[in-house]
Amino acid sequence: MGSNPTPSAMSTSAGTDGAASRDAHGDAADGAPGEVEPDVTPMARALDEARAAERHGDVPVGAVVVRDGLVIAARHNERELTGDPTAHAEVLALRDAAAHVGHWRLHECTLYVTLEPCAMCAGAIVNARVARVVYGATDPKAGAVRSLYELADDPRLNHRAEIVGGVLADESSSMLKAFFAARR
């Protein structure tokens, strides 16, 4: 469900659990300047991908994988388009990124996604050894990296990713809310 949330599930809050909460300008939720400004450009690219999903009737979620400052994969939800329940933007982008680098370990990569990943996608993040995850809108009903679970940085697992939430959250959330409002 992480890439197919209910309309009420989308939020621009990155949580208050002590994790790095940042606003769309890269500033910490408490107003302190953040180091997230470089994250805005790839997140804007993920938003472009989300718009592409919407054009073919999929929930507008986009994902981008960056390695060494370069975008190596960019995808969007394709569940409706392909009939594949696993065709979440994150999973598709991770598959493309692995093909690009020539192996499944993405430990030098950052995944940017417009909506907090679901449990399936958080599992893929851990299994791919993604170094960092940056997301836009939180998903309090299905989010699995901060909201409901903290799978991607659970200390009991063999890999932990750095998690940053709330980058371009308003834009991400607005797109999702408009998508669902149009379908009512």
Side-chain angles (χ1 to χ4, degrees), residues 45-81:
R45 174 79 184 271
L47 283 164
D48 290 341
E49 286 293 322
R51 288 181 196 93
E54 188 171 20
R55 285 193 290 273
H56 55 71
D58 270 285
V59 175
V61 176
V64 170
V65 179
V66 173
R67 180 181 185 209
D68 298 326
L70 299 172
V71 173
I72 63 169
R75 295 294 292 269
H76 53 271
N77 274 0
E78 294 184 4
R79 291 185 340 162
E80 298 300 327
L81 182 68

Side-chain angles (χ1 to χ4, degrees), residues 11-168:
S11 169
T12 58
S13 166
T16 56
D17 59 0
S21 296
R22 308 263 180 211
D23 66 16
H25 305 290
D27 294 336
D30 62 4
E35 296 183 28
V36 182
E37 193 60 37
D39 293 333
V40 171
T41 300
M43 185 61 79
R45 174 79 184 271
L47 283 164
D48 290 341
E49 286 293 322
R51 288 181 196 93
E54 188 171 20
R55 285 193 290 273
H56 55 71
D58 270 285
V59 175
V61 176
V64 170
V65 179
V66 173
R67 180 181 185 209
D68 298 326
L70 299 172
V71 173
I72 63 169
R75 295 294 292 269
H76 53 271
N77 274 0
E78 294 184 4
R79 291 185 340 162
E80 298 300 327
L81 182 68
T82 63
D84 178 355
T86 68
H88 287 202
E90 301 95 308
V91 170
L92 297 174
L94 292 175
R95 287 177 185 160
D96 288 356
H100 177 85
V101 299
H103 54 82
W104 60 269
R105 290 178 188 88
L106 301 176
H107 60 277
E108 298 173 344
C109 297
T110 298
L111 171 68
Y112 293 87
V113 60
T114 58
L115 180 66
E116 179 182 4
C118 69
M120 175 184 70
C121 294
I125 289 162
V126 170
N127 284 313
R129 311 297 195 263
V130 173
R132 190 164 174 260
V133 177
V134 179
Y135 67 89
T138 60
D139 189 348
K141 291 189 176 182
V145 299
R146 279 292 174 261
S147 296
L148 289 180
Y149 308 102
E150 295 183 6
L151 294 177
D153 63 349
D154 188 318
R156 297 170 295 181
L157 299 177
N158 62 342
H159 174 76
R160 287 166 291 289
E162 176 189 346
I163 307 297
V164 176
V167 176
L168 299 183

